Amino acid sequence: MPPDPPTRVVVTGEGPLLVDGPVEVELPDGARVRSGRPVVALCACGNSRRYPFCDTSHRRRVRSRQEPS
């Protein structure tokens, strides 16, 4: 029987890590979360409310307040 192909991980640069699923992610506290999706977006910015999964929080930008001249 041929070996399983390696799991593909795509580093997007300005967004999440895209991982071929399904996946099980072990968090720093030892808890494990699973996703059965064919491609899973893992948060790389740390701002996701669904951490460790991406919720596109990296897209939200806070505009700096401009003082009137």
Side-chain angles (χ1 to χ4, degrees):
M1 188 158 132
D4 291 333
T7 301
R8 184 176 66 105
V9 177
V10 177
V11 179
T12 62
E14 292 187 18
L17 298 172
L18 302 177
V19 182
D20 283 350
V23 299
E24 178 178 85
V25 179
E26 185 171 337
L27 301 175
D29 66 0
R32 295 180 181 190
V33 291
R34 294 181 183 195
S35 175
R37 292 176 176 244
V39 176
V40 179
L42 296 178
C43 177
C45 73
N47 294 325
S48 176
R49 292 182 183 179
R50 296 184 53 234
Y51 189 83
F53 305 111
C54 179
D55 69 357
T56 69
S57 291
H58 61 276
R59 293 183 188 168
R60 298 182 192 116
R61 302 202 189 277
V62 177
R63 293 183 187 212
S64 61
R65 186 174 163 204
Q66 293 182 348
E67 297 296 324
S69 1

